[in-house]
């Protein structure tokens, strides 16, 4: 697969200081100039000031310059213009035609993961190895540190065009889809990296950060809700497509942000998507999704 992960994104917010305080409390490291780092992915979030919230740039990682050359040829076949940035030729820039979204491809290594929390010791009926001490989820202290920015959902007014650019152009693989509604595409082994959703215009539905396990999803969201109960959107639950645990929150600009864990991993050639219908794909368990998750309140704003 020619691309393997998200490098970084630019997210527009009207008030960078207010959004920055939220993302610091979310567990990202404030590196200055609007940049925030995950534990394993480094600088992955860049807040930029703009009147309207949304995604302003998407960065994706390629293993080698040869991959960029192959992608450039595929995009040329789709009549999508690209620029190779010199002198290194290790960066390719295009504008996705249906959304106007700048996409930057650069040669970057795979995610190097470190300091993952030890798996919790779990007691079950008939198999209870944890004796005389509480669960790790009770004993853990300190802020949650998201490992990486793992996926986002991009709304587009031209579903077919955006999906064609991502798949035929960039080489992302479709893991699952509801044709014409939402398609989950992956770069690398995680079930989805960029999901394409039909929308009234270019829109950002949400950005997801991977944490180590279910307790970290719960601990992270609980800490934010203690500070501001109004930032709750939907959770905790487990999605059906992709299987990931989720808890969605709202940043001060209205962008949805997800703590996620335990997403499906896929080996190429070893995956058989199910025929999903209706909203059954949304969740396996959890509270019912609120109306604003299905259609954000500013979705139809001009
Ligand atoms: Fe998600």
């Amino acid at each position: 697969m020619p691309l393997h992960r998200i490098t970084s994104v630019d997210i527009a917010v009207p008030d960078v200081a207010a959004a920055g305080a939220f993302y610091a409390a979310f567990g990202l490291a404030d590196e200055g100039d609007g940049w925030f780092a995950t534990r394993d992915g480094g600088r992955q979030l860049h807040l930029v000031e703009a009147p309207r919230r949304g995604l302003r740039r998407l960065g994706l990682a390629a293993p080698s310059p040869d991959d960029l050359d192959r992608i450039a040829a595929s995009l040329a076949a789709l009549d999508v213009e690209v620029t190779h940035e010199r002198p290194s030729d290790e960066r390719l820039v295009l504008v996705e035609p249906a959304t106007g979204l700048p996409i930057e491809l650069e040669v970057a290594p795979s995610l190097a993961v470190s300091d993952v929390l030890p798996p919790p010791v779990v007691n079950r009926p008939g198999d209870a190895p944890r004796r005389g001490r509480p669960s790790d989820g009770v004993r853990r202290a300190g802020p949650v540190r998201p490992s990486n920015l793992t996926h986002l959902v991009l709304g587009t007014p031209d579903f077919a065009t955006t999906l064609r650019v991502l798949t035929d152009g960039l080489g992302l693989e479709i893991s699952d889809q509801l044709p014409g509604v939402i398609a989950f595409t992956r770069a690398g082994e995680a079930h989805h990296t960029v999901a394409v959703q039909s929308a009234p215009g270019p829109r950002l539905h949400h950005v997801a950060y991977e944490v180590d396990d279910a307790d970290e999803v719960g601990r992270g969201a609980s800490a934010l809700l203690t500070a501001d109960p109004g930032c709750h959107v939907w959770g905790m639950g487990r999605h059906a497509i992709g299987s990931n645990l989720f808890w969605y929150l709202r940043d001060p600009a209205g962008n949805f942000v997800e703590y996620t864990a335990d997403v499906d991993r896929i080996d190429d050639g070893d995956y058989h998507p199910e025929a999903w219908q209706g909203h059954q794909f949304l969740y396996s368990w959890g509270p019912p999704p609120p109306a604003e998750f299905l259609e954000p309140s500013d979705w139809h704003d001009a």
Side-chain angles (χ1 to χ4, degrees):
M1 189 176 292
L3 297 172
H4 54 206
R5 64 181 175 90
I6 291 173
T7 51
S8 65
V9 296
D10 286 357
I11 300 291
V13 296
D15 185 338
V16 171
F22 172 89
Y23 285 102
F26 186 85
L28 306 185
D30 186 346
E31 304 235 316
D33 294 331
W35 279 99
F36 290 81
T38 58
R39 184 187 68 203
D40 300 319
R43 289 185 171 197
Q44 294 204 278
L45 170 65
H46 186 214
L47 297 175
V48 296
E49 187 176 329
R52 181 179 183 138
R53 74 173 188 89
L55 182 65
R56 293 294 179 270
R57 182 188 57 85
L58 168 62
L60 296 165
S64 76
D66 289 347
D67 293 294
L68 296 185
D69 291 341
R70 280 192 286 273
I71 289 170
S74 300
L75 289 167
L78 297 176
D79 287 330
V80 175
E81 239 179 82
V82 300
T83 53
H84 261 105
E85 287 196 0
R86 297 183 186 283
S88 68
D89 275 352
E90 292 197 347
R91 187 185 295 261
L92 190 72
V93 183
L94 65 133
V95 175
E96 196 286 306
T99 57
L101 176 70
I103 300 178
E104 289 183 5
L105 314 178
E106 65 179 306
V107 176
S110 301
L111 196 70
V113 174
S114 63
D115 298 330
V116 180
L117 294 165
V121 179
V122 176
N123 285 347
R124 296 157 50 87
D127 177 21
R130 198 183 69 245
R131 300 284 172 169
R133 62 181 174 88
S135 166
D136 288 354
V138 175
R139 292 153 61 103
R140 287 176 188 167
V144 167
R145 290 296 316 276
S147 162
N148 64 94
L149 193 172
T150 180
H151 72 254
L152 58 84
V153 177
L154 171 65
T156 172
D158 184 343
F159 184 86
T161 295
T162 302
L163 186 56
R164 192 179 314 120
V165 169
L166 292 181
T167 54
D168 295 348
L170 304 185
L172 274 62
E173 298 277 347
I174 296 175
S175 297
D176 279 285
Q177 66 173 322
L178 278 75
V181 179
I182 190 166
F184 295 82
T185 74
R186 69 182 185 277
E189 63 178 18
H191 176 277
H192 47 284
T193 309
V194 180
V196 178
Q197 178 179 9
S198 183
R203 301 285 186 270
L204 172 63
H205 188 276
H206 70 266
V207 177
Y209 295 84
E210 185 178 30
V211 293
D212 292 344
D213 57 29
D215 277 307
E216 295 303 279
V217 173
R219 287 198 326 113
S222 297
L224 285 170
L225 292 174
T226 299
D228 175 16
C231 72
H232 174 76
V233 177
W234 185 32
M236 180 174 177
R238 187 183 281 277
H239 284 300
I241 284 185
S243 304
N244 45 320
L245 297 163
F246 64 83
W247 199 325
Y248 292 88
L249 304 140
R250 188 190 306 95
D251 80 10
N255 298 298
F256 296 161
V257 191
E258 175 187 5
Y259 285 114
T260 194
D262 194 26
V263 69
D264 292 343
R265 259 61 173 184
I266 296 173
D267 295 323
D268 284 344
D270 183 29
Y271 187 66
H272 306 287
E274 294 187 38
W276 300 95
Q277 290 176 349
H279 282 150
Q280 69 170 179
F281 76 93
L282 261 179
Y283 68 124
S284 170
W285 56 261
E292 72 163 326
F293 185 83
L294 304 176
E295 189 171 279
S297 57
D298 59 359
W299 217 229
H300 289 277
D301 292 356

